[in-house]
Amino acid sequence: MSTVLNVSSAVQDRQQAIQQATAADFSSLFTTPFDVELVGRKNCENLIGSVAMPVGMAGPVKMSWQHEDNKSTSDEVRLPLATTEGALVASVNRGCKAINLSGGAQVFVRKIGMTRAPVFSCPDGETAQNLIKWIDQHFMDLKTVAEATSSHLRVIEFQAWQRGRQVFVRFVCDPDQAMGMNMVTIAVQRMAEAITQALPEVKLVAVSSNACADKKDSVINRVLGRGYQVQAEVKIPGQVISNVLKTDASSLVAVQVAKNLVGSNVAGSLSQNMQVANVAAAMLLATGQDIAHVVEAAQASTTLEIDGDGVYAAVNLPNLNIGVVGGGTWLPAQTQARQLIGGGQEIDTYYLASAIGVAALAAEISGMSALAAHHLAKAHQDLGRVSQVAEVSGSQS
Amino acid sequence: MSTVLNVSSAVQDRQQAIQQATAADFSSLFTTPFDVELVGRKNCENLIGSVAMPVGMAGPVKMSWQHEDNKSTSDEVRLPLATTEGALVASVNRGCKAINLSGGAQVFVRKIGMTRAPVFSCPDGETAQNLIKWIDQHFMDLKTVAEATSSHLRVIEFQAWQRGRQVFVRFVCDPDQAMGMNMVTIAVQRMAEAITQALPEVKLVAVSSNACADKKDSVINRVLGRGYQVQAEVKIPGQVISNVLKTDASSLVAVQVAKNLVGSNVAGSLSQNMQVANVAAAMLLATGQDIAHVVEAAQASTTLEIDGDGVYAAVNLPNLNIGVVGGGTWLPAQTQARQLIGGGQEIDTYYLASAIGVAALAAEISGMSALAAHHLAKAHQDLGRVSQVAEVSGSQS
Amino acid sequence: MSTVLNVSSAVQDRQQAIQQATAADFSSLFTTPFDVELVGRKNCENLIGSVAMPVGMAGPVKMSWQHEDNKSTSDEVRLPLATTEGALVASVNRGCKAINLSGGAQVFVRKIGMTRAPVFSCPDGETAQNLIKWIDQHFMDLKTVAEATSSHLRVIEFQAWQRGRQVFVRFVCDPDQAMGMNMVTIAVQRMAEAITQALPEVKLVAVSSNACADKKDSVINRVLGRGYQVQAEVKIPGQVISNVLKTDASSLVAVQVAKNLVGSNVAGSLSQNMQVANVAAAMLLATGQDIAHVVEAAQASTTLEIDGDGVYAAVNLPNLNIGVVGGGTWLPAQTQARQLIGGGQEIDTYYLASAIGVAALAAEISGMSALAAHHLAKAHQDLGRVSQVAEVSGSQS
Amino acid sequence: MSTVLNVSSAVQDRQQAIQQATAADFSSLFTTPFDVELVGRKNCENLIGSVAMPVGMAGPVKMSWQHEDNKSTSDEVRLPLATTEGALVASVNRGCKAINLSGGAQVFVRKIGMTRAPVFSCPDGETAQNLIKWIDQHFMDLKTVAEATSSHLRVIEFQAWQRGRQVFVRFVCDPDQAMGMNMVTIAVQRMAEAITQALPEVKLVAVSSNACADKKDSVINRVLGRGYQVQAEVKIPGQVISNVLKTDASSLVAVQVAKNLVGSNVAGSLSQNMQVANVAAAMLLATGQDIAHVVEAAQASTTLEIDGDGVYAAVNLPNLNIGVVGGGTWLPAQTQARQLIGGGQEIDTYYLASAIGVAALAAEISGMSALAAHHLAKAHQDLGRVSQVAEVSGSQS
């Protein structure tokens, strides 16, 4: 099956077939500003072309960041945002200005690991209980089996829940610099096979059970984490709030409570933020990530509290899934977008997570200020009229 | 403030500045395969370039669709998917094949309308109660105020919830062929101003309160709807399941119960699907939508039930926000992606919603089958080795 | 089947059988301080005796209340609380004192109606859509069928959701002065039979589908309401906060934000209160309600905001299910507990709902103050030592 | 403050005062079939009397149970249910009959421990991070401080979440045979004091933060557990389903999927059961528990799957809070109710949890069968007519 097809000619064949079927002009869609052979093999079957997403830049923004080993760095970071939603880049940019005038953002990053949760069925509850004990007792063996599938993978731990006679086992793995969902799936499949081979009564229902949870709203990913946990914070003095953000501390906190804390609850939502989805989508897209992971990234919590004459502002993203190798990360423009963050150099996952955290913080600060100042609608109205919005206050959400 | 800047030269200035600051090669990122002047004005501030997303094509797939007025059409539809996640297009394509061999998908679309929910504060609960009554009594006046802001906007209804002395009012509007979030925000801001002018005791806290709910997980959007509600369904005979999907009806239903119905619950998730986020992201991106709306689109419900010797399969998306005008919809490649769906012609929002529904159905059918057949890991493993995967069974989720 | 057994002698037979089987002393459990014949027929099969729950009294508390017709009354109300949890009555009592010194509570009550949601299955999605249309078109006929089952029942409206080819129809009924769950089930069963008779393709899966939702956490009951919606509120001056509640306004609001608004979210909970479950359980139990409805009552939202030098406090219960006829409401002590609220007279459901609302408000005010003053643990520790706690600050939650 | 008042005379004074104020008959409410002195001191301030709740008996039911040390016992257990909801005891009883004819239920119990989660505020996120590290490093010291407050308490572990500069720390404790909420609060208060004394920058906001989560719906308690986790299960042959439960396996599973799995989701509910709240309320009340804990108990998951010609049925209660000492457990009738379960002897918490699990299983089996057979409404209708329902099929939910 592994015959080497010429992807380029296959793309041309498809384009020609479409052209003949429709007699329309697809010249823009049929553009492929990347290596068609590679994309056709690695990223996208039945390739016919591409869509270009505009990239705007926010920042540079001052960021001090820290990861588990207590190494701390301070940088000025440019933020590439792939978006077609007018006002978003301007909003993030205004947030960056406020952050810079407040001395920069502090970021904390922690790697939790990628998770995949197969579900097994047993003949009865007792067998289900024994299955969990067995996995616990043979964890090191399973780890060996799993880690043989990739030199980049480490199995960290597992959690398990019984429901009737089914067992949901959530394996947590470190996929190194990759986002790792595929790598982890392959490893978990091997572990699942080892389990069912050792315990013939136990059947694998599916290698993925939604207890993972991948690309869905979930509380489990916030309670236990998934991918990376990032928090970015800054204390903004009163003067910066009035000069740059055109509002005041108490109005900001009033919107925080009414919108993020109570309004989310009215909606039956377990997210407590304004527009993290906007900025997460734009950053994931620009840097070559799996864009569907915006669902998990959007489950963020924003904090705004009175601090002196200003506010303490923070954004906490409990499950951010990213990588700098694998998937779409190798694409040339996306690679360069990450290098833009890194000041010309490739960055690691911690750095990328930090940059997304700061971008989210900037977006929340600016967006919430626009709401507090009643400028949100105005920003969008102006956008239709003026050519270049010097200081747009907020994007939608 | 409305001086007409030359966007092109501003972009070049930015590119030059970045180049000088970093001394790296940004030639791929700095590419702009669209009208820089227009994009810089309408879609993206501080424009520096673009990222290209590969577009693969699934289908054509047979689709009969119906909207509220009972008009029904039947078409063969091509599905453009912008993605870098290998196996997704192949997975959707396999689902399309199964659908076609089963006689095509049936789609139902209903426009709910775009919502925006301002939050007002009152001196006490009684004033809050009176506010709701006042809005009810003056709804026609408010509608007039709102509809004066755009000839494309119609205010349909409102819902209101009191919490203490604050009131969350959720206005539901029909923004015609646009997704409409900005249009609706402007109109709601006008209504909010009319309200606070008539009732001086009432203050607007924020024009958006998260009870909207925009780009967050929420139950309110599933209970009351938002944007478009789409359901796509098909009955797949046993033979198609075994020949094309390489599994059987009872295995499929077992995975449905264990994963989508129970596993989601283990995760504390209120979505009941496998990979709708993947396909929604790819379709929204390809067709020029606001990509952050994948958060809402991902809150879908998949149904798989035994039907004769096969299965009844359906996907229900209760809040899909899309448009064919406004935002990024005008971009040339994205416009052509919609025309690809339309067989060479621009489509309306109902048609686009239907196509997304069918794509989601195809992805769920194929992806769930891959899980049931224990092929998910294999699909991803093969992908690294072979040049062109003839029949990849499923993408991640 | 309707032979008239002698319940009393059946109870005695059971008691004797237990005595013989175990040789233990069950004299306290075997006590029956009510009409055994009636209880054995109406409330409890296989009756063997009773447990007595201590009832403490809080208040009198000043309460102004208002229902939809804008009638407003002002009363001093005694609150009977059936509980074994030390500190609860004292906590509510302290809250009542604070409310009284602040001029009394303002209460708003609204009857939503009791709901029951059957689920129907159809051969396909189109039939499911037509089912919803059919119900809409024949609503008046169905109403007639339903209302023939009881002179106390009115069918108000219905809501419907389609999932695949199943339809969840949520009927909202006014059961007059009863809580009405049984009455509504019988009426809905008749409507379901009328529907399936008219539409032979449509099958009733179950008369209750959990979309009701009865005695479970749910967002639907908060978005759409169920039973009664009650809000009680009061503005507490700074002096009352310091003298009676031993804390200050800003500490109270700090606990509100950290615990009720953010802490609930950390827990993945959609309730935003401190101890409404405690007080709802005690009031439902004392007044003869279905005690399992504490699950719905506990889904309350507490508000605490700075107001002048004090706070604005409110509790909002979106789905409180109560009655003054039917079920256990006729039991002698429980009847008298309601009469205690009514100053010696039976009360209606609006009045009972109001009293529960005020009790919840008092409990939240006092309990949150105990937390803010760091007295919660102390209150419980003291309880073991002293004979009568003059001013216990808070119960658990 | 610890003067010894005469509670009895205080009760009489209160009764007299009420009598004078209202001139109504409160003789039933003013009944006190327990030691007034003790109840007035330990369980209920401002005691005025009691309400009696009828207790019906279900069973005996065969139960094999197992706890962590793999000890397994098999017993015939009587289930005391305190309820006024007609049909509940009969429904549980029918479930018991089905369980007995199927060979008895298998129960698994696991003690998780009682939790209490204080929230601390810090000057910034870095201090918040250091707080978590400090607690981790000083856990044994904190444990010593906590365990000095009671010889019955053991601190097991802690979990922590950061939100901005606040930290939610969830301590898990083993309170031996008590439910333990008060005991744990006192111990956690001491630990919180030790923490803030050692780290002066850190302030305790509240000893309870709703991340506990006590008496609220929550996902955290299902993911991490709280109190006891219980699962009861049984395989019911087809003949028992048809003879006793008057339905068939496939109808039962159809209702399970439509109601418990999908309908709950339509409601935005994260519980997946029919009527666990009913039976949990009745068992908690009968056995002297804190009745507000029905909120947590109700978050149960029911499983019904085809097994041979019958079904595999299970109920899983992930957070059941109970005790056999402390609170209202000492009350005479409630003590005897537990002894009724124990065949004349006091039981331990594991045994009580098991009995509640089996009762829940019996209720689910019978109630779901009533729905599947379309007998629910009929059962309630008959109840008004006949004197003694030989075989009532289901209670409400």
Side-chain angles (χ1 to χ4, degrees), chain A residues 56-233:
Chain A
M57 189 184 78
V61 58
K62 288 183 212 161
M63 158 177 121
S64 296
W65 70 287
Q66 203 176 38
H67 56 89
E68 284 116 304
D69 54 10
N70 284 319
K71 275 191 302 188
S72 176
T73 358
S74 194
D75 281 308
E76 298 225 334
V77 175
R78 286 175 189 80
L79 303 169
L81 297 153
T83 186
T84 59
E85 298 310 303
L88 179 61
V89 178
S91 179
V92 175
N93 210 28
R94 189 173 75 142
C96 290
K97 188 175 167 187
I99 290 171
N100 289 342
L101 289 171
S102 304
Q106 179 72 28
V107 192
F108 310 94
V109 191
R110 191 176 153 216
K111 182 189 276 193
I112 302 295
M114 180 47 66
T115 62
R116 182 52 95 197
V119 52
F120 299 92
S121 68
C122 302
D124 49 41
E126 193 172 353
T127 313
Q129 294 235 320
N130 291 336
L131 167 59
I132 299 177
K133 283 177 204 156
W134 191 94
I135 294 174
D136 196 35
Q137 286 159 1
H138 298 78
F139 182 67
M140 292 311 295
D141 300 335
L142 291 173
K143 190 173 152 72
T144 304
V145 165
E147 295 180 358
T149 64
S150 165
S151 61
H152 291 288
L153 184 92
R154 290 292 165 269
V155 184
I156 304 173
E157 58 173 346
F158 79 98
Q159 300 119 7
W161 296 267
Q162 182 181 352
R163 286 281 180 101
R165 54 186 177 176
Q166 294 195 330
V167 179
F168 297 80
V169 187
R170 188 173 183 263
F171 289 103
V172 186
C173 304
D174 178 353
D176 201 353
Q177 291 295 306
M179 177 270 279
M181 190 71 274
N182 292 354
M183 193 194 300
V184 172
T185 301
I186 292 164
V188 168
Q189 175 76 28
R190 285 291 178 283
M191 290 193 279
E193 284 161 9
I195 290 166
T196 52
Q197 213 169 335
L199 304 170
E201 286 183 318
V202 175
K203 304 290 173 212
L204 176 67
V205 181
V207 74
S208 165
S209 68
N210 280 11
C212 312
D214 194 46
K215 300 169 183 169
K216 285 109 195 166
D217 68 283
S218 83
V219 177
I220 207 172
N221 286 4
R222 301 193 314 165
V223 168
L224 301 178
R226 189 170 196 249
Y228 292 81
Q229 288 193 330
V230 193
Q231 179 172 305
E233 69 179 29

Side-chain angles (χ1 to χ4, degrees), chain B residues 265, chain C residues 209-210 216, chain D residues 255-265 271-275 302-304 364 368:
Chain B
N265 187 264
Chain C
S209 68
N210 281 10
K216 284 112 195 163
Chain D
V255 176
Q256 161 73 4
V257 172
K259 177 188 177 70
N260 287 344
L261 304 187
V262 177
S264 298
N265 186 265
S271 303
Q272 296 194 323
N273 68 79
M274 184 210 169
Q275 62 163 338
T302 294
T303 302
L304 279 166
E364 291 295 281
M368 292 292 286

